[in-house]
Amino acid sequence: MRSAVGRGAVFVLVAALLWGFWEGYRWLWTRTGWTWPFRVDATSMPHLHDVFHALWLPARYQGPRLISVLLKASAFTAKEAAVGFAMGAAAGFVLGVVLAHFRVLQRGILPYAVASQTVPILVVAPMVVVWLNPKLPPGLRDWGSVAVIAAYLTFFPVTISTIRGLHAADRRALELMRSYAAGELRVLWKLRVPAALPYIFAALKVSATASVVGAIIGELPSSIQSGLGGQIINYAQYYTIQPTGLWATNVVAAALGISFFLIILLAEKLVVRRAPENVA
């Protein structure tokens, strides 16, 4: 409890410092009239309290509050990101296991996996939607193709970290298991995977936030209005006259990414602590 309170206090302190830096920077640039690196005004850099206040204002005339609209949209995006994260993490782990055991496949496939991440996601997303969407069942159309785009951003870090982690097993323990005639499958699950867990969870924390980004970007060519991507497009049209709406949407999107990260962090504390080398 004391540790949790300490971490919470540090979080609040850092948030207060960042808030003060934002408002101090805005006050100084507004007062002096400096224009480098950009002109500071209510459009380019609104007050943070105005951004958070906008969450409690009606999203439209006599409509629901903006926070209600954005939470509903974030729940829809979270579904796409969670499904995409699960598919990408599973595919990345399986691919990493296969490539770690077969060096020939690693030399042949890994360069193409690296090349796939150099293609901008904004180029890949429309092609995935156009090609995959008509082939999906009616219940999965639109959001299912977005989940595939989120998986596209998820699998690569998991693959690389899985390969690295599986090769990080203690050689003495590996020789001991082989001296007892342990099969490759038993060595994999009893030694290599537990040793790889810190590497895998490090990749999962990166991929968790990337899946949210992939889901939001994937909603743009899909013309999905139910998620955060649709809300970003909507408020971007009114940015010059109502910038706080877009800033508030970005705050909710960031909070969604942080929540995904914290879920993986909690899972890491539960799983890695119970790994065989730590339990022993």
Side-chain angles (χ1 to χ4, degrees):
M1 180 64 69
R2 184 179 302 174
S3 177
V5 172
R7 288 195 297 268
V10 171
F11 176 81
V12 172
L13 177 61
V14 173
L17 291 176
L18 292 176
W19 192 307
F21 176 78
W22 177 283
E23 293 296 336
Y25 182 96
R26 189 184 189 282
W27 175 83
L28 180 61
W29 258 247
T30 303
R31 184 177 181 86
T32 58
W34 293 340
T35 59
W36 188 91
F38 58 89
R39 184 181 298 276
V40 175
D41 52 29
T43 301
S44 62
M45 199 172 180
H47 289 290
L48 288 181
H49 56 266
D50 291 338
V51 174
F52 286 98
H53 178 65
L55 291 170
W56 306 101
L57 298 177
R60 56 184 180 273
Y61 180 69
Q62 293 184 343
R65 291 181 177 180
L66 179 60
I67 184 65
S68 300
V69 175
L70 294 181
L71 287 179
K72 184 177 179 180
S74 63
F76 186 87
T77 301
K79 176 182 68 173
E80 300 168 332
V83 173
F85 173 75
M87 292 191 302
F93 176 76
V94 172
L95 182 61
V97 171
V98 173
L99 296 184
H101 283 80
F102 300 96
R103 294 298 182 93
V104 175
L105 291 179
Q106 183 175 337
R107 296 191 190 100
I109 296 177
L110 193 58
Y112 294 99
V114 174
S116 69
Q117 301 301 301
T118 63
V119 180
I121 189 63
L122 289 175
V123 177
V124 176
M127 294 188 292
V128 172
V129 171
V130 171
W131 177 78
L132 185 62
N133 213 35
K135 298 177 175 60
L136 293 174
L140 296 178
R141 285 179 184 170
D142 293 331
W143 77 267
S145 58
V146 174
V148 173
I149 297 170
Y152 174 82
L153 289 182
T154 302
F155 88 96
F156 182 74
V158 179
T159 300
I160 298 300
S161 295
T162 300
I163 295 173
R164 177 65 182 86
L166 293 178
H167 289 156
D170 190 346
R171 292 186 178 275
R172 293 171 298 178
L174 183 60
E175 292 174 359
L176 178 62
M177 293 195 70
R178 286 176 176 171
S179 68
Y180 284 105
E184 285 295 331
L185 188 60
R186 184 174 295 274
V187 172
L188 174 65
W189 291 112
K190 295 294 185 180
L191 178 61
R192 292 189 183 275
V193 170
L197 284 177
Y199 298 89
I200 294 174
F201 273 102
L204 290 177
K205 285 184 283 189
V206 175
S207 298
T209 54
S211 66
V212 176
V213 175
I216 293 175
I217 294 177
E219 290 172 351
L220 305 183
S222 305
S223 300
I224 296 177
Q225 299 299 319
S226 302
L228 288 175
Q231 297 300 322
I232 290 175
I233 292 178
N234 179 38
Y235 288 107
Q237 299 174 357
Y238 305 100
Y239 181 74
T240 56
I241 60 176
Q242 190 183 1
T244 54
L246 183 59
W247 281 93
T249 306
N250 291 335
V251 168
V252 173
L256 179 61
I258 292 173
S259 65
F260 270 55
F261 177 89
L262 292 178
I263 291 173
I264 301 301
L265 183 62
L266 177 61
E268 180 186 22
K269 290 184 177 298
L270 295 175
V271 174
V272 175
R273 184 177 299 175
R274 289 175 170 82
E277 68 271 16
N278 292 329
V279 173

